[in-house]
Amino acid sequence: MRELQLLASAGFIAYPFVVYLLLERMPALLLIGVLGILIAARLATMRQLNRRQRRFALTGVGTFCAVAWAGSELHLVKLYPVLVSVTGAAYGAWTLARPPSAVERIARAASPQEPFDQRKIVYTRRVTWVWVCFLIANGTVAAYSAVAASTGFWALYNGFISYLLIGALFGGEHLFRCWYRRRHYPTTPQGRRSG
């Protein structure tokens, strides 16, 4: 399972460059099939999805690939990054409406022994809002790059710039979280955080 997850992640990172190199040279069926396999592999390794959610996601992916192939709309494979951003934003918004928030769920899963007070719940909710807004903005630029920009710009943004932005957001949030914890959860005389 771990190997499949790594393979799927590597495939998604390389995907924009594969499309850029092969969009005009590879048959539509083959390129759409590669996309479908990558998405299916990624969904299969997402433990946080239950059976119903996984089935729903796979149905959506299958429909998207079938429409793209039946209509010979090869350029639709460029909309995959939009699909990822929209799905992520929708999931984040759904968890905001039906708590706990997405970031709180991830934090609790990563550190099940760590106590979660109201302050942490509010903080993770705000971080979830930040990610939802970022994903909406990222999806908007990705949609523009797929529809109105060149394939070169699409590959550059979706295969490089968007990853830099995601890394900057992760890094910025980590630095802010460290500052926030020092300010709101001072170290006790025993050397442990108070919260």
Side-chain angles (χ1 to χ4, degrees), residues 84-186:
V84 171
S85 289
V86 168
T87 302
Y91 174 72
W94 179 79
T95 64
L96 288 169
R98 306 184 74 144
S101 66
V103 174
E104 181 183 341
R105 293 174 195 222
I106 294 168
R108 285 183 184 274
S111 304
Q113 309 303 325
E114 187 175 335
F116 242 80
D117 60 18
Q118 187 60 31
R119 191 179 289 161
K120 288 182 181 178
I121 291 172
V122 171
Y123 177 82
T124 53
R125 186 174 177 82
R126 288 176 178 165
V127 175
T128 301
W129 268 112
V130 170
W131 275 105
V132 168
C133 293
F134 170 81
L135 289 169
I136 290 171
N138 188 63
T140 301
V141 178
Y144 169 81
S145 72
V147 174
S150 67
T151 301
F153 176 79
W154 175 86
L156 177 65
Y157 181 79
N158 294 288
F160 182 66
I161 296 173
S162 66
Y163 290 120
L164 285 181
L165 295 174
I166 290 168
L169 184 53
F170 266 119
E173 191 277 324
H174 176 74
L175 292 174
F176 181 82
R177 186 176 356 118
C178 291
W179 171 84
Y180 184 88
R181 289 187 71 170
R182 281 197 303 272
R183 180 175 180 182
H184 295 286
Y185 299 97

Side-chain angles (χ1 to χ4, degrees), residues 20-89:
Y20 175 71
L21 293 172
L22 302 177
L23 187 62
E24 305 298 334
R25 302 178 182 91
M26 182 180 282
L29 178 60
L30 192 54
L31 196 52
I32 293 166
V34 168
L35 175 60
I37 291 169
L38 282 173
I39 297 174
R42 185 67 188 100
L43 288 172
T45 60
M46 293 178 70
R47 295 177 186 165
Q48 62 267 39
L49 295 180
N50 61 39
R51 186 178 298 175
R52 183 181 172 205
Q53 292 168 330
R54 190 173 283 115
R55 188 166 54 237
F56 179 77
L58 285 171
T59 301
V61 169
T63 302
F64 175 81
C65 291
V67 168
W69 178 68
S72 296
E73 297 292 340
L74 189 56
H75 68 273
L76 286 179
V77 299
K78 293 166 69 176
L79 291 176
Y80 167 72
V82 182
L83 184 65
V84 171
S85 289
V86 168
T87 302

